[in-house]
Amino acid sequence: MNTNFQAESKTSGDEFETIVVNDLMSMYDLDENEVLTSVVLDNIGIELDYVVLTDHGLECGEAKGGKPGLKKRPGAERTDNVKKAICNGALLQTVAPGINYVIYFSAEPKPNSSSEAMIDAALSNGYVSEVRYLNPCT
């Protein structure tokens, strides 16, 4: 029996993106047509998971998460998730300095971890405007 673990992770990640879209609609009183998803910026080689227009301006972001499970480290517990999300923010800042870029994670980083240090550095240096945590299991 072959199990495709990447397919499991993809499904879990897609489910988390739906949770993020629902959070955005609730937070900003939007309908689903007002949340753009999978926005590709070919000029800098990235894809944003969402873009919304709020009363405070444009918000762009990344959703990094999924359900925990056997040998799974969701959200900000995985340094590669954190690095990719921060890199997208840094690249976005090169073409839109000061844009509101938000990362959603399904789990917080472990205390004193590399992930926590990367998030702190990205926030303090303006690559990321805000980090939000949503637990998909609650």
Side-chain angles (χ1 to χ4, degrees):
M1 175 182 186
N2 263 344
T3 301
N4 185 341
F5 292 105
Q6 283 304 102
E8 264 181 54
S9 294
K10 170 81 170 104
T11 300
S12 183
D14 289 347
E15 289 171 0
F16 185 66
E17 287 182 20
T18 299
I19 292 168
V20 168
V21 167
N22 289 334
D23 186 65
L24 291 163
M25 290 188 313
S26 174
M27 182 185 315
Y28 296 123
D29 193 28
L30 303 171
D31 65 47
E32 63 185 34
N33 297 326
E34 295 175 291
V35 182
L36 300 176
T37 57
S38 302
V39 177
V40 177
L41 301 176
D42 288 328
N43 60 327
I44 54 174
I46 68 170
E47 179 180 320
L48 297 168
D49 288 333
Y50 74 86
V51 176
V52 295
L53 183 59
T54 74
D55 292 340
H56 307 290
L58 204 58
E59 179 179 310
C60 305
E62 188 82 17
K64 290 293 182 197
K67 296 176 185 170
L70 185 62
K71 297 186 180 181
K72 300 248 185 222
R73 291 171 293 131
E77 291 180 8
R78 287 185 58 100
T79 56
D80 57 331
N81 281 343
V82 175
K83 286 177 187 176
K84 181 177 184 278
I86 291 170
C87 180
N88 283 354
L91 288 166
L92 183 60
Q93 294 298 333
T94 67
V95 296
I99 195 159
N100 188 23
Y101 177 74
V102 177
I103 304 171
Y104 276 86
F105 289 114
S106 62
E108 294 187 35
K110 301 279 187 210
N112 303 311
S113 66
S114 296
S115 291
E116 183 180 63
M118 287 186 278
I119 291 168
D120 291 345
L123 286 165
S124 65
N125 287 289
Y127 297 126
V128 175
S129 306
E130 183 181 349
V131 174
R132 298 177 186 148
Y133 298 98
L134 289 176
N135 184 339
C137 296
T138 57

